[in-house]
Amino acid sequence: MSGSGERADGLRALQERLGYRFREPSLLDRALTHSSHAHEHAAFGNEHNEALEFLGDAVLGFAVADLLHRREPGGPEGVKSKRRAALVSAPSLAERAQELGLPALLRLGRGEEKTGGRKKANLWANAYEAVIAALYLDGGLEAAFAFVSAQFANDLDRAELPAEDAKSALQELLQARGEAVPSYEVVAEEGPSHRKRFHVECRVGGEAIGTGEGTSKKAAQQEAARAALVQMAKR
């Protein structure tokens, strides 16, 4: 996207996708300008997105925490913290950036472009955070929160916890609700000894609330705990 007219058209189209019209479009342009481009073009000076990434990360974290709290005010802090971490993780943000078409709009330096910078998911995620900062600076918390809510509200229940955290997250949730700690039972094993698969049930108070399978008992337990967390969120 080389010409200024083409660039302006691209930014206008992005604003439509964002659902927000900028008072200062230069903020949005800066959010999509990588430091490598600014360093190669003296006219840009320090007008790149690194500072905006820092601000956007804070605004996004606060907004997602607010959404999670409003969804379940009495929910355990640990579970909400882990769910927030999953929602704002770099892979999650990179995917959202790609859906918005941010990679094509990034201004990159020649060196960064040659080394495949436009295909780097971490740059996409950084640009996504910078765009949130631009929304905040241009339209205040209202504009930033409106965008974050539209992007994340439907995913609050589906945010996956890291597998290694699922068992501890489930136990913390049950303890916060005053319920019994979970137990795990292997209900089936299949396959040869060198390639077994285990099927496990996660039970609370004698009731099976989640099932999982894996190549080890530990992995199957984690899958069962993950399934149980999904069921608990519906109660």
Side-chain angles (χ1 to χ4, degrees):
M1 190 168 294
S2 54
S4 58
E6 186 179 358
R7 176 73 175 175
D9 288 344
L11 294 178
R12 277 193 292 270
L14 175 59
Q15 290 178 72
E16 294 297 327
R17 296 192 294 275
L18 295 174
Y20 178 81
R21 180 65 63 182
F22 276 77
R23 299 178 182 88
E24 294 184 40
S26 60
L27 277 170
L28 183 58
D29 194 22
R30 179 180 173 187
L32 297 166
T33 300
H34 189 254
S35 59
S36 63
H37 183 277
H39 294 158
E40 290 181 10
H41 297 80
F44 280 83
N46 290 322
E47 295 296 311
H48 53 75
N49 64 8
E50 285 185 1
L52 293 179
E53 292 167 25
F54 172 77
L55 177 59
D57 175 68
V59 173
L60 175 60
F62 174 48
V64 171
D66 181 81
L67 289 170
L68 287 166
H69 174 76
R70 292 177 187 278
R71 169 183 167 274
E72 192 176 4
E77 176 187 354
V79 172
K80 286 188 284 191
S81 293
K82 291 164 186 171
R83 199 169 294 282
R84 177 181 60 181
L87 285 164
V88 303
S89 66
S92 169
L93 302 189
E95 182 178 348
R96 296 171 194 278
Q98 190 172 28
E99 290 173 354
L100 287 169
L102 301 190
L105 290 167
L106 284 174
R107 286 189 189 271
L108 301 175
R110 290 185 297 275
E112 188 68 39
E113 190 80 71
K114 285 182 179 179
T115 57
R118 198 168 299 279
K119 296 180 180 180
K120 294 178 181 177
N122 66 307
L123 296 191
W124 305 351
N126 292 342
Y128 187 89
E129 291 176 335
V131 166
I132 290 175
L135 286 164
Y136 168 71
L137 292 172
D138 194 78
L141 277 175
E142 182 178 355
F145 269 50
F147 172 74
V148 172
S149 180
Q151 285 272 297
F152 289 87
N154 292 333
D155 296 328
L156 297 180
D157 289 328
R158 295 200 297 268
E160 293 187 358
L161 295 167
E164 64 271 23
D165 288 333
K167 287 179 67 176
S168 58
L170 176 62
Q171 182 163 326
E172 185 177 347
L173 175 61
L174 290 167
Q175 288 175 335
R177 294 186 178 187
E179 299 186 41
V181 297
S183 62
Y184 300 89
E185 181 176 336
V186 177
V187 294
E189 296 181 22
E190 59 186 28
S193 59
H194 65 283
R195 200 167 55 194
K196 275 188 176 295
R197 289 196 68 81
F198 298 89
H199 296 259
V200 168
E201 283 185 349
C202 174
R203 296 181 178 179
V204 175
E207 177 189 358
I209 62 170
T211 61
E213 63 176 274
T215 55
S216 69
K217 292 179 183 178
K218 182 178 179 180
Q221 288 173 355
Q222 292 290 358
E223 287 301 314
R226 188 193 298 276
L229 281 167
V230 173
Q231 291 303 313
M232 295 295 294
K234 298 177 181 178
R235 294 187 176 184

